[in-house]
Amino acid sequence: MEFNLYEQDWSKYLQLEQGQLEIRKTLPRGNSHLAPEQVLQAQKARLIEAAALCIHKNGYAATSVQDIIQQAGVSRSTFYKLFQDKEACYFYCFKKLSSLHLSVLMQAYQAHKVDARPAFEVATLAFIQQLTVNPIYVNAFFALAPYSTAAVVAELNVVKTHYVTLLAYWFAILPENIARLSLPQDVFKIVVEGVFSYLRHWIMQGQVQSQESVHHHICYVIFSTLGIHTWAAQHLAQLR
């Protein structure tokens, strides 16, 4: 039976829990049974979600600590107990999200690594679907990351380097009858930069295309750039 990507259960790769994606409107008042560290963690979750919502709406530069704490319903002193400043809050969120996405991609690839082409395709689609779990988080901490701070941009470049290394390694271990080219590292950098730019545009435009379309576009670009033209043509045919 032919492997069908779009009939797979992707939930096992989507690690963000929906219960963590809704802003906590209230915290227990008075003498609750929660330990102080539990209350602090709940407040941290509210601040992160509030930061995501504010940055999603207004951008990083136009969002202040006051905006975040007002949205979260948390005191200024609590914010500074958890984060040094707005940049530290944003950097924490960016690191969490980027680590999650990398983990999702690697888990998906490993689950299908015995068959080269599905492994590439599954990893790509799982990553794309992860981006749709919570559009507010992804816009705030992925699409808008290049427009935030120098520290985040530097970390974003580290993240891209991880993807370049993975792509180059996965290409290198393909059978010789599939991968006949010897490619310099810059080719893999161009692919990753292009995919990231395309996904940022897709997210910032409100994800007007279907996940399936985006997946075929990306796979076509990856496979055609790497010289695997048979695989690329099959994705191009799905777009016609």
Side-chain angles (χ1 to χ4, degrees):
M1 182 181 296
E2 185 179 354
F3 180 79
N4 189 329
L5 287 170
Y6 304 101
E7 291 179 357
Q8 304 307 303
D9 177 13
W10 299 100
S11 60
K12 60 186 174 182
Y13 301 126
L14 305 181
Q15 304 296 317
L16 285 177
E17 296 179 7
Q18 289 297 326
Q20 297 175 339
L21 302 177
E22 298 175 0
I23 294 178
R24 282 72 168 170
K25 298 299 183 184
T26 60
L27 283 172
R29 296 185 179 276
N31 186 21
S32 74
H33 296 291
L34 292 179
E37 59 270 18
Q38 289 178 294
V39 173
L40 200 61
Q41 283 304 307
Q43 291 171 323
K44 187 175 187 178
R46 289 175 63 180
L47 285 167
I48 290 168
E49 291 163 4
L53 185 60
C54 292
I55 294 166
H56 167 71
K57 287 182 177 178
N58 305 317
Y60 177 84
T63 296
S64 66
V65 170
Q66 180 60 34
D67 294 330
I68 295 170
I69 62 177
Q70 185 173 337
Q71 177 67 47
V74 171
S75 70
R76 182 175 290 270
S77 62
T78 297
F79 179 91
Y80 286 109
K81 186 183 296 184
L82 291 163
F83 302 109
Q84 181 178 348
D85 51 26
K86 181 182 75 170
E87 181 179 8
C89 177
Y90 188 90
F91 192 83
Y92 174 86
C93 297
F94 172 80
K95 285 274 287 185
K96 283 286 188 182
L97 195 66
S98 60
S99 296
L100 171 65
H101 284 173
L102 184 61
S103 173
V104 165
L105 184 145
M106 292 177 68
Q107 287 178 49
Y109 183 91
Q110 288 297 318
H112 297 83
K113 65 180 180 179
V114 294
D115 196 342
R117 181 184 164 188
F120 267 92
E121 294 173 329
V122 165
T124 305
L125 186 57
F127 181 85
I128 292 168
Q129 293 196 341
Q130 179 67 37
L131 292 177
T132 67
V133 171
N134 188 285
I136 291 175
Y137 269 55
V138 172
N139 186 50
F141 303 128
F142 173 78
L144 296 177
Y147 313 106
S148 56
T149 72
V152 172
V153 171
E155 184 63 25
L156 178 60
N157 289 332
V158 171
V159 171
K160 289 177 182 176
T161 300
H162 288 320
Y163 283 105
V164 169
T165 302
L166 272 178
L167 184 60
Y169 172 71
W170 290 344
F171 180 74
I173 63 175
L174 286 173
E176 289 185 4
N177 65 319
I178 297 174
R180 296 189 175 93
L181 299 177
S182 177
L183 299 174
Q185 193 81 348
D186 279 352
V187 170
F188 301 101
K189 291 180 182 177
I190 290 168
V191 170
V192 170
E193 284 288 350
V195 169
F196 268 57
S197 295
Y198 176 60
L199 287 173
R200 279 202 307 273
H201 177 76
W202 174 58
I203 292 161
M204 293 172 75
Q205 292 299 312
Q207 301 176 348
V208 293
Q209 301 181 63
S210 72
Q211 292 178 40
E212 186 171 343
S213 249
V214 170
H215 177 242
H216 288 310
H217 281 123
I218 290 175
C219 284
Y220 172 76
V221 168
I222 292 174
F223 294 147
S224 59
T225 305
L226 300 183
I228 312 175
H229 299 298
T230 303
W231 292 3
Q234 291 169 346
H235 283 278
L236 184 61
Q238 296 295 320
L239 292 166
R240 291 172 177 164

